Amino acid sequence: MVLKSKSILATLATTVALTTGAFAGSHAKLSGDLVIFSDMSNPAPRAVMEGMVERFGAMHPDLNIELTVIDREAYKTQIRNFLTANTPDVANWYAANRMKPYVDAGLFEDISDVWEDPAMADLASTKGAMTLDGKQWGVPYTYYQWGVYYRKDIYEELGLNEPANFDEMKSNCQTIIDSGRACYTIGTKFLWTAGGWFDYLNMRTNGYDYHAKLTGGEIAWTDDGVKATFANWRELIDMGAFIDNHTAYSWQESLPFIVSGDAAAILKGNFAVPPLREAGLDDSKLDFYQFPAITEGVALAEDAPTDTFHIPSGAKNKDAAKAFLKFVVSADNQTLINNGDNLGQLPVNAKSSVDNDKFLQEGFTMLSSNSPGGVAQFFDRDAPAEMAKVAMEGFQEFMVKPDNLDKILDRLDRSAKRIYK
Amino acid sequence: MSSSTEAATQTSWYKRNEIAVTPWLFLVPGVAFFLLYVIYPIFSSINVSFYDWDGLGEASWVGLGNYEELYWDDAFYTSLRNNLIWLVLYLLAIPAGLFIALFLNQTVTGIRLYKSLFFFPFVISQVVVGLVFTWFYDPSFGLLNQFLGVFGIDPVNVLGDERFVTYGIIAAGLWPQTAYCMILYLTGLNAVDPEQIEAARLDGAKGWRMLWHIIVPQLKPATFIAFVVTIIGALRSFDLISIMTNGGPFGESRVLSFYMFEVALSEYGFRMGYGASIAVVLFMIMLCFIAYFLYSMYQDDKGGR
């Protein structure tokens, strides 16, 4: 009986291996233990992670896979401990600057050889985010678009259209304010939401390259370009575009304002869609548009934070770990885990298909054909953690007290000189 | 043969010194843990505060660099200022606790129930207290602003406004702390000498004079303990801030312990050396109080109570 089920599994494995196509050739026989630590602790991601382990296990019956799922917030501090002692073979983390401390400390394995596989060309869009010092340190499994989610019914009631440029955005906003609502809801209690607004305003005002240089420490915060960005932001603040008292709310707590119609839109990642739908905003009431252009001639760039898998340098079973990473990025797997029933996000692999969900489709089109400027991660992943913290605190202060701008920028500049030295 | 005599003298040495040695033997585990988990970390923190270290890679010696940076750090002064506000206002828990204790120190049917209700906030977790007050203060839906609305006062964004936030959190912290002081005074009131009260009454003392000259002096031990726990409680205030505001808005509700956590251990932090230098400053402040407490306890002991 045991034998029988094993052989069934083996046949299953070969079929899966054959259908996975491109990577089929690289399936060597794997054995031993594969220890995976994951931060995919919310119910849906957890099921996705467990599903991936199950399917990978079916392909490699001799491999004993141990999966440990850790609470997402706790994971952020625990990773520092388990990378140095009790190292797993595969671990979740984030792309770009967020992985830099571990790369610098030699705790992540250089997996450039995995990226040399020709099939990895399908992941080229995120290769930059996975590269530090000219080497690759992990693989992406999912990402999601950012944009403005708005109340379609309110826009229709007021006779507004999706804005194509900043002037339209402002005139729309004025109409909304005149109707007794706020244009945008936001909760800045945990700071990073203000980082999203800065990302977009800065990328639209000064372009992606400027933004990358600023977060990379090559441009001073007292630069005129930054001031132009804040001047645009201030126009929105002064006209009363944002809800009052946003410093008291987390992003979840800011959602009731758009649900009740007290605010008409929210700038957020696609993860805001499920809670808004659950609160009763169906597709006839909720819609999405790309953040409009501000400076003419600046190519549109987008935020699309990427979640990743890495191999710690202390891993014991690196062969199995690399095979798992290749399995994770395969087109079929990414199609499956990112569909609406699972993560409800976008697959990174260009050969994957995107779930037939209105927002995922729009987001995919936007990222693949209408972000010629480039794809950024997010403020707190593009800038070093310390700088992100100081800066996002400054953004929050600016949103409440725009007159403090010069003081804030001086402070950021002082911090930047220390952090980027 | 020599070994057996040695063994004999050893046992007899222990026998001879049993009374002096045994207490120390019982103390050994406690002292060992105290050294390992209290004394060693103190010196270790002081040591780390001289380094620039992210907790992972090599630590590099910066001498007093971290302290120099503290000197220029606005956020540090904000935290220090808030710590002082906490210290002063938290002491309100002592008189508040005293008056509630006096009020509850009666023989009325069901007084035990009232006492338990007043003590209740101290029993529930600080996290729950923080959440309850967060909802209470909510600028749009919170009870406080509904209440103010009745009088036509505009909503006050207590936790989102840098002018009110620290006071708002302290008010939340005072709720359980007052209950704690109250229970200390209730036990203290049990020990008040009825004969002295009788005598004072014969001398015509009433109301405030009775309280101030007869009752309060007899409550001195309870007051001392209430003072100690309140001061320590104010200096290590952390959980309420973390739950209610996360240090915000823009860092205006931080105190030293929270700032230390932020720079050293939170999501965007991991500057162990800088965090350690904040911890050292906080330790120095605490040391002043601890020294004072120890000194006054020593004086009391010498006074032969």
Side-chain angles (χ1 to χ4, degrees):
Chain A
M1 188 62 212
V2 177
L3 264 176
K4 213 173 184 182
S5 64
K6 265 231 163 139
S7 69
I8 291 171
L9 278 180
T11 15
L12 201 84
T14 28
T15 27
V16 173
L18 284 173
T19 46
T20 324
F23 292 113
S26 63
H27 283 313
K29 211 159 170 52
L30 297 171
S31 58
D33 295 329
L34 178 66
V35 182
I36 302 174
F37 281 9
S38 174
D39 69 343
M40 298 162 75
S41 59
N42 290 332
R46 189 185 184 110
V48 165
M49 187 69 221
E50 284 164 358
M52 279 199 282
V53 165
E54 203 170 296
R55 279 177 285 125
F56 188 69
M59 291 159 64
H60 303 280
D62 293 338
L63 194 65
N64 173 34
I65 308 177
E66 278 175 44
L67 170 67
T68 308
V69 179
I70 300 166
D71 172 73
R72 198 174 169 94
E73 290 305 312
Y75 191 92
K76 288 173 182 166
T77 45
Q78 284 185 22
I79 186 171
R80 304 174 68 86
N81 297 336
F82 68 64
L83 284 182
T84 42
N86 184 26
T87 340
D89 298 305
V90 173
N92 275 123
W93 196 235
Y94 311 109
N97 238 309
R98 281 302 278 278
M99 63 178 185
K100 193 167 188 295
Y102 308 108
V103 171
D104 287 348
L107 292 170
F108 276 164
E109 178 85 357
D110 168 15
I111 56 159
S112 304
D113 56 327
V114 172
W115 279 86
E116 275 163 21
D117 192 310
M120 296 297 278
D122 298 332
L123 300 161
S125 61
T126 49
K127 191 171 182 182
M130 303 310 307
T131 305
L132 284 173
D133 309 330
K135 297 172 193 135
Q136 286 78 44
W137 305 93
V139 296
Y141 66 94
T142 186
Y143 71 156
Y144 50 87
Q145 82 274 14
W146 271 66
V148 183
Y149 294 84
Y150 71 101
R151 284 288 296 270
K152 203 175 173 181
D153 49 339
I154 294 179
Y155 271 55
E156 278 164 6
E157 179 196 322
L158 300 172
L160 303 173
N161 294 315
E162 298 185 358
N165 57 49
F166 197 49
D167 287 333
E168 283 180 42
M169 182 172 167
K170 282 184 291 189
S171 72
N172 275 359
C173 187
Q174 195 56 54
T175 315
I176 294 167
I177 292 168
D178 293 342
S179 78
R181 304 174 173 98
C183 311
Y184 305 101
T185 185
I186 181 174
T188 57
K189 184 175 175 186
F190 294 102
L191 304 177
W192 56 268
T193 47
W197 271 96
F198 178 78
D199 272 355
Y200 272 99
L201 288 163
N202 196 37
M203 285 194 291
R204 293 290 185 268
T205 309
N206 299 309
Y208 175 82
D209 292 334
Y210 184 92
H211 187 66
K213 278 185 189 154
L214 180 70
T215 49
E218 292 169 47
I219 289 176
W221 280 88
T222 43
D223 190 78
D224 285 341
V226 180
K227 286 183 178 151
T229 299
F230 279 104
N232 287 330
W233 199 345
R234 176 148 195 177
E235 282 189 58
L236 293 176
I237 294 168
D238 285 347
M239 67 196 290
F242 301 98
I243 59 161
D244 294 334
N245 304 325
H246 51 78
T247 49
Y249 302 117
S250 68
W251 74 267
Q252 290 97 332
E253 288 164 341
S254 74
L255 295 182
F257 294 97
I258 182 170
V259 173
S260 67
D262 289 325
I266 184 170
L267 173 69
K268 190 61 54 184
N270 199 51
F271 53 80
V273 170
L276 288 176
R277 277 183 175 155
E278 275 163 33
L281 298 182
D282 54 26
D283 286 3
S284 69
K285 287 187 179 157
L286 190 66
D287 208 346
F288 170 84
Y289 63 80
Q290 185 172 17
F291 199 97
I294 294 180
T295 307
E296 230 172 290
V298 166
L300 300 180
E302 294 296 319
D303 266 346
T306 310
D307 292 352
T308 55
F309 279 102
H310 303 264
I311 303 179
S313 52
K316 285 161 205 87
N317 196 347
K318 286 179 185 164
D319 288 340
K322 281 179 183 171
F324 183 74
L325 260 47
K326 287 182 182 178
F327 164 75
V328 164
V329 295
S330 66
D332 288 352
N333 181 56
Q334 296 221 344
T335 303
L336 179 64
I337 64 171
N338 283 298
N339 72 23
D341 295 332
N342 292 310
L343 291 176
Q345 296 182 0
L346 295 170
V348 182
N349 193 312
K351 289 219 170 75
S352 301
S353 47
V354 178
D355 195 55
N356 191 23
D357 169 278
K358 175 175 146 189
F359 296 105
L360 289 180
Q361 287 292 346
E362 282 194 36
F364 183 73
T365 319
M366 176 179 86
L367 287 175
S368 49
S369 59
N370 203 21
S371 60
V375 173
Q377 286 297 309
F378 188 75
F379 190 78
D380 67 354
R381 301 187 190 182
D382 291 323
E386 252 184 85
M387 191 67 224
K389 169 87 186 174
V390 188
M392 294 190 308
E393 219 166 78
F395 303 157
Q396 191 200 31
E397 184 174 347
F398 172 75
M399 287 187 74
V400 183
K401 294 177 160 184
D403 290 337
N404 287 2
L405 180 63
D406 289 335
K407 246 168 64 187
I408 296 168
L409 291 182
D410 282 345
R411 191 168 70 224
L412 295 193
D413 200 43
R414 251 200 336 267
S415 306
K417 279 186 183 126
R418 173 175 59 74
I419 292 162
Y420 293 104
K421 65 180 163 214
Chain B
M1 195 178 117
S2 67
S3 68
S4 72
T5 46
E6 215 173 86
T9 41
Q10 246 177 20
T11 18
S12 64
W13 180 86
Y14 176 69
K15 277 278 170 227
R16 268 186 285 124
N17 296 289
E18 200 174 1
I19 301 297
V21 171
T22 313
W24 290 105
L25 285 179
F26 279 110
L27 277 175
V28 162
V31 169
F33 278 98
F34 187 72
L35 288 175
L36 186 64
Y37 290 116
V38 179
I39 303 298
Y40 168 71
I42 288 174
F43 287 98
S44 173
S45 301
I46 294 174
N47 182 40
V48 170
S49 75
F50 297 125
Y51 288 89
D52 183 17
W53 186 39
D54 67 354
L56 290 172
E58 283 293 299
S60 63
W61 173 265
V62 289
L64 290 173
N66 285 323
Y67 293 94
E68 193 195 333
E69 200 190 320
L70 268 189
Y71 182 80
W72 296 108
D73 187 351
D74 295 338
F76 170 69
Y77 291 107
T78 310
S79 320
L80 199 62
R81 184 201 68 208
N82 284 340
N83 252 128
L84 289 175
I85 299 176
W86 269 87
L87 259 182
V88 173
L89 291 186
Y90 224 46
L91 291 175
L92 287 177
I94 298 175
L98 173 63
F99 285 110
I100 295 175
L102 289 170
F103 173 66
L104 290 177
N105 192 37
Q106 308 171 32
T107 36
V108 182
T109 357
I111 195 70
R112 276 162 192 267
L113 179 68
Y114 300 132
K115 280 184 189 170
S116 348
L117 285 177
F118 272 94
F119 187 59
F120 178 68
F122 185 69
V123 182
I124 55 178
S125 151
Q126 293 265 306
V127 176
V128 177
V129 174
L131 283 176
V132 167
F133 269 82
T134 308
W135 296 326
F136 176 68
Y137 287 140
D138 185 297
S140 320
F141 318 107
L143 206 57
L144 174 70
N145 286 305
Q146 304 281 347
F147 178 72
L148 290 178
V150 174
F151 300 98
I153 301 171
D154 282 341
V156 183
N157 182 11
V158 178
L159 296 181
D161 189 312
E162 77 282 1
R163 287 169 298 171
F164 309 132
V165 63
T166 299
Y167 303 100
I169 302 173
I170 294 174
L174 278 175
W175 189 43
Q177 191 65 27
T178 303
Y180 192 14
C181 293
M182 177 203 79
I183 212 83
L184 289 171
Y185 277 119
L186 273 177
T187 46
L189 283 171
N190 281 334
V192 169
D193 186 356
E195 282 177 21
Q196 282 190 30
I197 296 190
E198 197 61 43
R201 210 164 262 158
L202 287 176
D203 287 343
K206 269 196 302 201
W208 285 103
R209 296 181 60 135
M210 171 77 104
L211 176 68
W212 190 249
H213 293 286
I214 309 297
I215 313 267
V216 170
Q218 292 194 62
L219 289 173
K220 200 184 158 212
T223 309
F224 180 71
I225 298 293
F227 189 60
V228 173
V229 294
T230 307
I231 293 281
I232 305 266
L235 283 173
R236 43 176 237 187
S237 51
F238 174 87
D239 24 19
L240 283 176
I241 294 166
S242 173
I243 290 295
M244 295 174 75
T245 63
N246 211 23
F250 33 95
E252 284 291 326
S253 65
R254 286 180 181 125
V255 294
L256 288 176
S257 58
F258 188 79
Y259 190 40
M260 174 192 77
F261 165 80
E262 254 189 324
V263 297
L265 299 165
S266 75
E267 193 180 344
Y268 302 112
F270 302 117
R271 300 182 65 205
M272 298 299 173
Y274 197 53
S277 66
I278 299 168
V280 169
V281 171
L282 183 59
F283 174 69
M284 293 302 173
I285 296 171
M286 283 210 176
L287 206 58
C288 301
F289 287 99
I290 294 167
Y292 165 73
F293 294 146
L294 289 178
Y295 174 76
S296 68
M297 275 201 274
Y298 175 69
Q299 289 296 322
D300 276 1
D301 269 1
K302 230 171 44 176
R305 280 193 308 119

